[in-house]
Amino acid sequence: MSTSWTRPGARRPLAARVAAPREPVDQARIGRRVVRRRAKGMTAADVAAALEDARFDARQDSRHEHLADDERGRAELAEWERIDQLFAAEAPDTVYSPDTDAVVQEELAAEAAAAAAREAELREAQRIAARADELQALRELGTLEQTEPRDGDEAARDELTRRAGGYVQADVDAWLAHALAAHLGHYRDPAARETAADLLIPSVLAHVALLAELARLVSGVDVDQLAFAARLATTEPEAVGALTVFLAHVRP
């Protein structure tokens, strides 16, 4: 077991460990939003005048090397041009409104969906971190083996490994393997077992398969008697796989 863990009660608050990633500044998006705020309520003539001003500014900026890559300026000019084109099919007294601009509404919907996805990812990361804290506390209490797994514990297992600097947590892997082989906790559901097979590393899956075959061959065997299976699966997962296939043909 890794000894890199902090003592109980010394963990940092969850929010300090799992924070929302900062979005990079999108200068083009800022430019489009500035134009839309300015254009709100403008007539076709107003927009045409603003477009001419934007084109003049673009010509002036092109003379300066440090403004040649002005992403926001290019976006503002392109947005004025787009809004100007919207008036081609509108009545003369029409005024611009972002609320009725299909492009604007599509962008807002996409941004809202992206924000919701980021929020969901953050909540999931917080849930995984909290479960990893819980599993670590159970390890320290020596009661992990008596704990039934829950949905998502494969991700908590990965989080514990990450915190340990990438070192495999043998006791956690053995706990998961036994639970999966014995169909404990949420692993009673075949779909959960199938999902776990896609998420766990080969050595754990080899351990699961070997435990299942040994339990089939020796009825009522105690898990403590099968500690060797974890060592074999960790060091020689491919050999354990071959052994499991061989044992599958042995009649009890």
Side-chain angles (χ1 to χ4, degrees), residues 9-249:
R11 299 183 184 87
R12 290 174 294 165
L14 181 61
R17 290 186 284 108
V18 182
R22 301 186 66 177
E23 288 187 71
V25 176
D26 188 338
Q27 293 294 342
R29 183 171 65 174
I30 292 173
R32 290 191 295 270
R33 287 181 172 178
V34 168
V35 170
R36 290 163 187 172
R37 285 196 298 269
R38 285 185 56 196
K40 187 174 183 179
M42 281 187 174
T43 63
D46 296 330
V47 170
L51 173 56
E52 285 306 311
D53 290 341
R55 285 171 174 167
F56 175 80
D57 291 339
R59 288 192 296 271
Q60 293 296 104
D61 291 347
S62 67
R63 300 175 182 176
H64 303 281
E65 185 176 350
H66 70 283
L67 295 176
D69 193 28
D70 181 11
E71 185 177 2
R72 175 174 167 176
R74 291 197 302 272
E76 289 186 9
L77 175 58
E79 189 65 1
W80 281 120
E81 290 174 339
R82 187 188 69 81
I83 294 174
D84 180 65
Q85 292 171 1
L86 291 178
F87 282 96
E90 299 294 339
D93 59 345
T94 300
V95 296
Y96 175 75
S97 173
D99 296 337
T100 57
D101 187 331
V103 170
V104 173
Q105 295 308 307
E106 288 174 4
E107 285 185 9
L108 291 176
E111 289 172 4
R118 289 192 298 271
E119 180 63 25
E121 289 177 1
L122 176 60
R123 288 196 301 269
E124 178 63 8
Q126 291 173 332
R127 187 188 69 80
I128 291 170
R131 179 58 171 169
D133 286 344
E134 183 179 355
L135 293 179
Q136 177 56 26
L138 293 170
R139 297 171 79 186
E140 293 166 352
L141 292 171
T143 57
L144 179 62
E145 293 77 7
Q146 289 78 49
T147 304
E148 290 198 344
R150 301 177 189 167
D151 182 35
D153 276 353
E154 298 86 9
R157 178 257 177 210
D158 292 343
E159 172 64 11
L160 288 171
T161 302
R162 184 195 65 78
R163 294 181 186 180
Y167 291 103
V168 172
Q169 307 300 287
D171 58 337
V172 176
D173 282 359
W175 166 67
L176 278 175
H178 173 252
L180 186 52
H183 300 179
L184 301 178
H186 77 296
Y187 289 141
R188 295 184 183 92
D189 182 358
R193 298 196 296 273
E194 185 176 348
T195 298
D198 293 330
L199 298 175
L200 294 172
I201 60 176
S203 61
V204 176
L205 297 177
H207 188 187
V208 172
L210 183 56
L211 287 177
E213 283 303 319
L214 292 173
R216 181 183 66 85
L217 291 171
V218 184
S219 179
V221 65
D222 191 285
V223 67
D224 293 334
Q225 298 175 274
L226 304 178
F228 65 88
R231 294 194 296 272
L232 287 174
T234 301
T235 57
E236 295 289 346
E238 292 184 4
V240 166
L243 175 60
T244 301
V245 172
F246 175 80
L247 292 177
H249 295 85

